[in-house]
Amino acid sequence: MITLSRRVIAACVLAAALTACGAPAGPAARPPAPAPSPAVPSAPPTLAAGPAGLTPVFEHGPRDAGKTVALTFDADMTADQGPRAAAGERFDHPRLIGTLRALKVPATVFMTGRWAEEYPDQARSLGRDPLFEVANHSYSHYAFTGDCYGLPSVPEERMRADVERAYRAFRAVGVPDPMPYFRFPGGCYDRRALRALTPAGVTAVQWDVVGGDAFATDADAVARQVLDGVRPGSVVVLHCTRSAAPTTEEAVRTVVPELRRRGYRFVKVSELIGAANGHG
């Protein structure tokens, strides 16, 4: 009995390094799995350069890829409107942005650099909200052609610099990832302007539905114009400046539920451009 006990004790001592005495040995320990590599964000979709390498122009998404529509809002402010803002004129529209958030409507905001400098907190809030994307509407909101609704014009040799200055303004106020999309002030452009912006690497974004909200006083008329014009893949141009487009928020509260009732899904411009890239 004593010999047997000693043998048992010896066996236990021998196995102690591997497992407790009397307990079954478990499987060999495995090294911890490596931590997953951080996801690398993909670059926003853009269009390939146009003929002769000119800046590509996007007007709407595919018509046969589902009922999608992009609402876009121009945050206009020219470089010389600072005194008007200081005197109390409002070029922002927080109530409109609040309505889009309440309705959970994604949207693309084409912002001037001057607007971002005037309303840095709002620009930063939009730029960090995944519901929105911030795109470029120039720094100064001066025209890129010689005759465009009475706007002052940018010389050809300053066009690219004006666009790049807007991007610097966005980043300076805390917009982390402005999109590589550009909307010409007034929608006015020509071959000369497209050539001047080629080195900037942007896609020019126009529209196929004009909301007609600029200086409008009848929200119902704006809503009807949008609803009558929307087709699958449409890009709608509206504004988010109280002084120039006071009825837009009210019109949006009519447009959004009606388009949803018709089966439309609201998307940002980037999704339409991505769909266009995969459609050809």
Side-chain angles (χ1 to χ4, degrees):
M1 294 296 295
I2 294 175
T3 302
L4 179 59
S5 298
R6 286 177 178 174
R7 288 177 180 173
V8 171
I9 292 171
C12 287
V13 171
L14 182 62
L18 300 177
T19 185
C21 183
R30 295 180 180 179
S37 301
V40 177
S42 57
T46 55
L47 296 184
L54 297 180
T55 297
V57 180
F58 179 77
E59 294 182 351
H60 60 79
R63 299 299 193 191
D64 57 354
K67 285 188 170 183
T68 54
V69 57
L71 297 186
T72 69
F73 297 87
D74 291 356
D76 296 346
M77 188 174 182
T78 61
D80 57 1
Q81 286 178 333
R84 288 168 57 180
E89 185 171 349
R90 301 300 302 190
F91 296 92
D92 61 343
H93 205 330
R95 184 174 176 181
L96 169 62
I97 300 303
T99 294
L100 293 171
R101 284 175 167 142
L103 295 173
K104 296 180 173 56
V105 179
T108 304
V109 178
F110 286 88
M111 188 182 296
T112 69
R114 184 65 188 85
W115 192 98
E117 291 174 347
E118 187 68 28
Y119 305 106
D121 292 344
Q122 294 185 55
R124 182 166 52 253
S125 176
L126 287 166
R128 296 181 179 182
D129 188 337
L131 194 64
F132 302 104
E133 59 189 11
V134 170
N136 196 315
H137 198 29
S138 80
Y139 176 82
S140 61
H141 202 259
Y142 287 178
F144 281 58
T145 61
D147 182 15
C148 182
Y149 303 104
L151 292 171
S153 59
V154 180
E156 181 176 356
E157 64 273 14
R158 295 294 303 161
M159 290 178 180
R160 177 185 176 186
D162 188 85
V163 172
E164 292 175 343
R165 185 180 179 186
Y167 279 122
R168 290 197 298 273
F170 300 157
R171 294 188 174 97
V173 302
V175 176
D177 298 301
M179 304 299 282
Y181 308 143
F182 175 71
R183 175 164 285 166
F184 287 100
C188 303
Y189 69 94
D190 54 19
R191 185 179 181 87
R192 181 178 62 109
L194 295 177
R195 183 175 59 246
L197 294 188
T198 297
V202 295
T203 293
V205 176
Q206 296 290 96
W207 55 81
D208 65 317
V209 178
V210 177
D213 61 332
F215 307 104
T217 57
D218 186 345
D220 289 338
V222 173
R224 284 196 303 271
Q225 186 157 320
V226 172
L227 293 171
D228 289 347
V230 165
R231 299 169 58 195
S234 279
V235 175
V236 181
V237 58
L238 294 161
H239 297 79
C240 55
T241 49
R242 272 183 279 179
S243 60
T247 64
T248 307
E249 187 269 342
E250 184 179 350
V252 163
R253 284 192 278 114
T254 299
V255 165
V256 168
E258 175 57 23
L259 285 178
R260 282 177 169 158
R261 188 191 68 79
R262 297 180 185 181
Y264 278 90
R265 180 172 63 90
F266 292 96
V267 300
K268 291 175 275 192
V269 164
S270 55
E271 182 168 333
L272 290 185
I273 292 178
N277 278 340
H279 204 69

